[in-house]
């Protein structure tokens, strides 16, 4: 054995300092400084050096303890049974070696040993103590011997029973488990935080740990935390069961959640097969795991095997490849989504994350870039979990190069050179090129042809995709140049179908100004807004030339919608597309501005059921033309409900609230009177026709 030189002593001191700092930042500050992989590499290097030079081992070495001291903000709770850590295995060979060690110590055939396997949840470890079936205390792991008393916070978790189920609970039960946040809940939590400009968490584990250690339990109660039990530390009186797996089943009877993936396997081959199978399904579990915990199932054999200083001899953790790694951010490119959203994409030095080589990751939007404080050239932590696209979660402090560059959002669309629009209060920047931008082409055409827009029968989603992919259609105007002979060349498009589509296109040339405006797909301009714009301006030319102030004068058009409209009509290529459509024969009758009576201005109406004389959309359009707003639900403010055949819950609610209800005959009579200018018609005149 060689004597340690100064270089080796310095390395040991550096590794200990880095690991101690990482423990403090993770367990106390809830602000991790190292990825799991970086931490494991340092710890294994330090362990190797201490094995080679045992004289360097000290009681305060990170290899000799589990976590970090408890936070002063919580009472200290001493664990009656220490919450020890587990030794790790990183390969199938190390798993087989563990099974062999256990068999040799027990002097038995390794293929006769049963092991209980379950996912190693990546969350925050806690201990719960029940007396007489009632929860009396809960604590974090802390340093393994003393934890933080967080009983009030744990009581807010719905997965932690305040009283155990069953008629005969144990007099004493101490159960250990992990508190986690599942992927879907984590995404929702961060989305809410971004919307409220609050703290965005780096990963579910950090979110779970931070949530449990809130000094105000009311904050913890708002977080989507779930507890899952993995160990019984104490139980009195002891049950007759002699296996760990049977105890876990008992916990389920008591109302405590345990892993559905728990299984008992035999020998090294069974252990390896379980780890392989779970690793293949890891991304589909819906929650983070970082490996598999393997325990000797027989409790009597566990007692015989005993412990080393910081870990049991009867258990081991098999670690999967880390889902977080560090790498260099080489550049940022901007992609345009199908709705025009501009998304910054990080181009990375390729790195293996959870067994997959990652060279690109999302940066979400400008707000996220500002929150991270990230620059081109930085060393960044990348996370990949479940089916989520890899993302940059933080910048590694202290490793920024001198030539790092700011990330600058484009002012023009990188695909079509249209103006990029980002309104105040919105996180997402968008291309304003709508009809023209190739990146948005398919979605723009689907909307243009939809039933409530130009209503082009036979022009479905699959056909649009074929037309775009073959470059037969680049703008909506190209649709009206399609010929039946050419369309018949497409798969599953015979001559008859082609002729029918051309006929539908011919019919769609005659439309209304409101439908045409809606078909343009301008952001936040729905049917009602399009109808209001058509009535207010009367002509397309007047609308296109309107300034923001004039647009804001239209009913239901606020500053945001006015800005979208103004930007859209100021783009030369959007104007060119509109001119091209008109040249292709699209036509409509101009609205008579200010001449049509609006006796229902300020009123809200609802239609329900089936009308025999018109569609609901036609009824809606006629009400809107009279100034009414048409809503989808009934409230006390509803002026009237039109009830067709098979009217359901909306009719019941209207009757409960005393809202006037018209059947179809009464509705038609009212429409005729209103459209004729009889705005004084009293609803009570037709009471005999009301439903």
């Amino acid at each position: 054995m060689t004597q340690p030189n100064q270089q080796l002593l310095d390395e040991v001191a550096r590794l200990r300092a880095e690991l101690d700092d990482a423990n403090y930042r993770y367990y106390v500050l809830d602000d991790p400084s190292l990825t799991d992989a970086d931490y494991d590499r340092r710890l294994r290097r330090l362990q190797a050096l201490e094995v080679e030079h045992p004289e360097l081992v000290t009681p305060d070495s990170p290899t000799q303890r589990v976590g970090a001291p408890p936070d002063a903000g919580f009472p200290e709770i001493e664990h009656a049974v220490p919450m020890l850590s587990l030794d790790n295995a990183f390969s199938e060979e190390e798993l087989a070696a563990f099974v062999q060690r256990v068999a040799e110590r027990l002097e038995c055939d390794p293929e006769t040993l049963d092991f209980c396997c379950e996912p190693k949840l990546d969350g925050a470890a806690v201990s719960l103590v029940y007396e007489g079936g009632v929860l009396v205390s809960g604590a974090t792991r802390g340093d393994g011997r003393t934890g933080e008393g967080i009983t009030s916070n744990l009581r807010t978790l719905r997965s932690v029973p305040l009283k155990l189920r069953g008629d005969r609970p144990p007099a004493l039960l101490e159960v250990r488990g992990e508190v986690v946040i599942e992927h879907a809940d984590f995404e929702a939590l961060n989305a809410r935080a971004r919307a409220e400009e609050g703290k965005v968490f780096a990963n579910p584990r950090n979110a779970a740990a931070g949530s449990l250690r809130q000094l105000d339990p009311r904050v913890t109660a708002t977080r989507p935390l779930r507890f899952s039990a993995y160990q019984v530390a104490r139980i009195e009186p002891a049950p007759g069961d002699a296996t760990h797996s049977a105890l876990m089943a008992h916990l389920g009877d008591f109302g405590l959640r345990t892993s559905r993936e728990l299984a008992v396997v035999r020998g090294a081959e069974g252990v390896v097969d379980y780890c392989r199978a779970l690793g293949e399904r890891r991304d589909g579990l819906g929650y983070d795991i970082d490996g598999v915990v393997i325990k000797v199932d027989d409790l009597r054999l566990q007692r015989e095997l005993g412990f080393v200083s910081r870990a049991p001899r009867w258990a081991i953790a098999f670690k999967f490849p880390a889902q977080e790694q560090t790498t260099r951010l080489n550049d940022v490119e901007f992609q345009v989504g199908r709705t025009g959203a501009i998304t910054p994409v990080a181009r990375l030095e390729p790195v293996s994350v959870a067994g997959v080589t990652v060279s690109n990751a999302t940066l979400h939007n400008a707000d996220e870039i500002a929150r991270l404080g990230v620059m081109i050239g930085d060393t960044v932590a990348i996370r990949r979990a479940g089916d989520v696209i890899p993302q940059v979660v933080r910048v590694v402090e202290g490793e920024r190069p001198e030539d790092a560059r700011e990330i600058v959002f484009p002012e023009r669309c990188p695909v079509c050179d249209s103006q990029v629009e980002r309104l105040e209060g919105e996180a997402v920047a968008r291309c304003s090129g709508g009809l023209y931008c190739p990146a948005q082409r398919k979605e723009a055409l689907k909307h243009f042809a939809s039933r409530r827009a130009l209503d082009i029968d036979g022009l479905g989603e699959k056909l649009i995709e074929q037309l775009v992919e073959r470059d037969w259609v680049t703008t909506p105007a190209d649709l009206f140049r399609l010929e039946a002979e050419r369309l018949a060349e497409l798969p599953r498009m015979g001559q008859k179908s082609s002729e029918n589509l051309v006929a539908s296109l011919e019919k769609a040339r005659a439309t209304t100004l409101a439908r045409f405006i809606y078909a343009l797909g301008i952001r936040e301009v729905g049917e009602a807004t399009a109808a209001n714009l058509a009535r207010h301006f009367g002509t397309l030319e007047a609308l296109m030339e309107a300034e923001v102030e004039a647009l804001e004068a239209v009913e239901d058009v606020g500053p945001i919608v006015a800005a979208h409209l103004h930007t859209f009509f100021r783009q030369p290529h959007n104007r060119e597309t509109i001119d091209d459509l008109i040249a292709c024969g699209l036509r409509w009758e101009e609205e008579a501005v200010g001449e049509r009576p609006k006796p229902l201005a300020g009123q809200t109406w609802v239609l329900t059921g089936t009308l025999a004389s018109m569609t609901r959309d036609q009824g809606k359009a006629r009400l809107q033309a009279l100034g009414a707003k048409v809503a989808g639900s009934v409230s006390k403010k509803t002026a009237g409900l039109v009830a067709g055949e098979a009217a359901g819950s909306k009719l019941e609610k209207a009757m409960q609230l005393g809202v006037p209800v018209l059947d179809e005959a009464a509705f038609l009579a009212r429409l005729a009177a209103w459209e004729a200018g009889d705005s004084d018609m009293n609803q009570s005149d037709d009471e005999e026709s009301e439903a």
Side-chain angles (χ1 to χ4, degrees), residues 77-83 127 129 144-145 172 174 176 233-234:
I77 290 185
E78 187 172 346
H79 299 301
V81 177
M83 291 184 71
S127 176
V129 176
R145 298 186 182 279
L172 173 68
E174 181 176 356
R176 272 77 188 270
R234 294 182 292 160

Side-chain angles (χ1 to χ4, degrees), residues 549-565:
E549 294 77 9
L551 291 164
E552 288 185 29
V554 180
E555 185 181 0
D556 286 340
V557 174
I560 292 176
V561 176
H564 290 323
L565 285 159

Side-chain angles (χ1 to χ4, degrees), residues 89-90 275-276 278-279 282 289-292 318-323:
F90 291 85
C275 293
R276 284 178 183 169
L278 190 65
R282 178 187 188 185
I289 64 172
D290 56 2
V292 176
F318 176 68
K319 299 295 287 288
F320 289 144
Q323 291 186 298

Side-chain angles (χ1 to χ4, degrees), residues 134-148:
V134 177
L135 178 66
V136 294
S137 70
T140 64
R141 181 198 297 272
D143 63 4
R145 298 186 182 279
T146 304
E148 299 155 336

Side-chain angles (χ1 to χ4, degrees), residues 598-635:
K598 294 187 178 180
L600 304 186
Q603 296 185 21
T604 300
W605 283 69
V606 176
L607 295 110
T608 187
T610 303
L611 300 175
S613 58
M614 66 183 78
T615 66
R616 290 241 299 267
D617 282 343
Q618 289 171 332
K620 178 178 177 181
R622 290 179 71 174
L623 284 168
Q624 288 173 334
L626 294 163
K629 295 179 183 178
V630 180
S633 59
V634 177
S635 71

Side-chain angles (χ1 to χ4, degrees), residues 60-247:
D60 62 348
S61 171
T63 63
Q64 304 302 302
R65 63 178 185 170
V66 178
D71 189 278
F74 294 96
E76 292 188 6
I77 290 185
E78 187 172 346
H79 299 301
V81 177
M83 291 184 71
L84 299 180
S85 185
L86 297 177
D87 285 333
N88 294 325
F90 291 85
S91 67
E92 293 180 359
E93 291 75 19
E94 291 181 2
L95 277 179
F98 161 73
V99 173
Q100 187 61 38
R101 285 196 305 274
V102 168
E104 289 174 357
R105 203 169 266 279
L106 295 173
E107 298 180 352
C108 67
D109 181 352
E111 295 311 308
T112 64
L113 285 171
D114 286 337
F115 294 89
C116 188
C117 300
E118 62 183 296
K120 185 176 185 295
L121 299 176
D122 195 9
V126 299
S127 176
L128 306 174
V129 176
Y130 291 85
E131 293 179 0
V134 177
L135 178 66
V136 294
S137 70
T140 64
R141 181 198 297 272
D143 63 4
R145 298 186 182 279
T146 304
E148 299 155 336
I150 56 168
T151 311
S152 296
N153 290 352
L154 287 168
R155 285 179 179 274
T156 69
L157 276 64
R158 293 184 180 274
S159 50
V160 172
L162 302 181
K163 184 177 181 180
L164 299 179
R165 292 173 62 87
D167 298 330
R168 302 176 63 184
L172 173 68
L173 173 68
E174 181 176 356
V175 60
R176 272 77 188 270
E178 202 86 359
V179 174
V180 301
I181 297 180
E182 296 185 355
H183 292 159
D185 292 333
F186 177 70
E187 293 302 319
L189 178 66
N190 268 352
R192 189 168 72 242
R194 289 189 184 98
E196 297 171 355
E197 298 184 356
K199 178 181 178 181
V200 177
F201 292 98
N203 53 58
R205 178 183 60 185
N206 195 36
S211 299
L212 279 178
R213 299 177 64 257
Q214 294 291 320
L215 294 177
D216 186 349
R218 292 172 296 183
V219 177
T220 306
T222 66
R223 305 285 171 79
L225 302 170
R226 298 171 187 265
F227 172 80
S228 183
Y230 60 67
Q231 187 74 33
V232 172
R234 294 182 292 160
I235 183 167
E236 298 174 5
D241 306 294
T243 64
H244 170 76
S245 55
L247 271 185

